[in-house]
Amino acid sequence: MNTTDAKRVLETALICAQQPLPVRDMGVLFNGALTADTLKLLLEDLQNDWSGRGVELVHVATGWRFQSRPEMREFLDRLHPEKPPRYTRATLETLAIIAYRQPVTRGDMEDIRGVTINSLLLKQLEDRGWVEVIGHRETVGRPGLYATTRQFLDDLGVESLDQLPAMDNAAGQASMLEQIEFGLAGSPAGDDVLALDAPTHVLSDGDSETALPSETEAALAGASPAEPADFDSLQEAPPAGLASPDSHA
């Protein structure tokens, strides 16, 4: 099979796939005749072929997929004029803390945010597939340690935690929260309703419209996914030997 035909097969499979395709699955298309390196070169060629179009081929956490470019969203939204679900400030802050300081316990999150976190919020983030419990801290009560999932990265349209925006100041933090909200609202799973703002799921901390507590700003400012924020003054550091954030993304 020549290069042109192989690219046509890959293109067809990717367009028809319901989920991102990992390279190992693409190898099945060719009965193992093409190596992973060859497939990656073909995928890079496909990316170039689609440059300048309204759809792009991207590599996300669980594989490769075609998706609309961000600048096309304004037009695509006209087909579905209903607004996507809006996430409360509490939801975005909690999700950001998990993403930037994982693995963390619920108590850690509460210390950082300075308010009590409703258990329903964490359950809905788990049900959404964005966070999961990856272990337990060896302390009283053995609280669960939360980390983000590959689904979270897929829905944001990024490959790894390193691609999340850095937060070098309060303005950067606000921009990060907006980017996460924008990315998740436009995710392939965005049509499903995460009713964190619905009247039947009112959160107990009641701070969705308030400014960030100063402790949260101090903890998150300057953080990046590769170099998590210094929360040591606010919480007990995770025990040594826990996996790094990238291993749980």
Side-chain angles (χ1 to χ4, degrees):
M1 182 179 294
N2 59 38
T3 298
T4 301
D5 289 340
K7 284 168 61 178
R8 288 180 61 198
V9 171
L10 284 176
E11 184 178 61
T12 303
L14 286 163
I15 290 175
C16 295
Q18 298 297 312
Q19 301 292 336
L21 281 179
V23 171
R24 65 176 178 274
D25 288 355
M26 297 181 202
V28 177
L29 296 168
F30 307 98
N31 290 322
L34 299 183
T35 65
D37 288 340
T38 299
L39 289 170
K40 290 176 182 177
L41 289 175
L42 292 173
L43 290 166
E44 290 173 0
D45 283 346
L46 270 179
Q47 281 183 314
N48 293 330
D49 292 345
W50 284 78
S51 63
R53 302 188 185 183
V55 174
E56 61 183 341
L57 178 62
V58 298
H59 188 197
V60 294
T62 58
W64 293 74
R65 73 180 181 204
F66 278 105
Q67 64 184 34
S68 60
R69 294 184 184 274
E71 59 267 27
M72 294 294 104
R73 181 173 177 180
E74 172 189 354
F75 305 98
L76 296 177
D77 283 349
R78 295 172 186 172
L79 295 174
H80 304 284
E82 65 273 12
K83 293 183 178 180
R86 296 279 299 180
Y87 307 110
T88 65
R89 187 60 174 256
T91 300
L92 295 177
E93 289 177 17
T94 302
L95 192 54
I97 289 170
I98 296 173
Y100 283 77
R101 192 60 176 91
Q102 60 189 298
V104 289
T105 66
R106 176 177 170 180
D108 296 335
M109 301 175 217
E110 292 177 340
D111 287 343
I112 293 166
R113 293 196 63 238
V115 294
T116 299
I117 293 177
N118 192 311
S119 58
L120 178 62
L121 187 155
L122 291 173
K123 182 180 185 303
Q124 288 181 311
L125 289 178
E126 287 185 278
D127 291 343
R128 185 65 157 176
W130 290 337
V131 305
E132 62 183 347
V133 174
I134 60 168
H136 294 82
R137 180 170 295 173
E138 293 303 328
T139 187
V140 178
R142 301 187 73 247
L145 289 163
Y146 288 87
T148 54
T149 64
R150 289 185 178 275
Q151 182 65 51
F152 168 70
L153 296 177
D154 281 354
D155 286 352
L156 276 183
V158 298
E159 183 180 351
S160 69
L161 289 169
D162 293 337
Q163 294 176 296
L164 292 179
M167 299 180 294
D168 51 3
N169 51 42
Q173 179 181 311
S175 175
M176 177 277 301
L177 292 176
E178 290 177 1
Q179 181 167 334
I180 288 180
E181 180 178 29
F182 180 86
L184 296 180
S187 69
D191 292 336
D192 300 328
V193 175
L194 181 61
L196 292 178
D197 293 320
T200 54
H201 298 300
V202 176
L203 299 178
S204 63
D205 52 33
D207 69 341
S208 61
E209 300 300 328
T210 62
L212 288 173
S214 59
E215 294 85 354
T216 309
E217 287 191 358
L220 289 176
S224 69
E227 297 180 1
D230 180 9
F231 296 138
D232 291 342
S233 62
L234 302 174
Q235 66 177 50
E236 175 187 359
L242 287 174
S244 64
D246 287 335
S247 65
H248 303 301

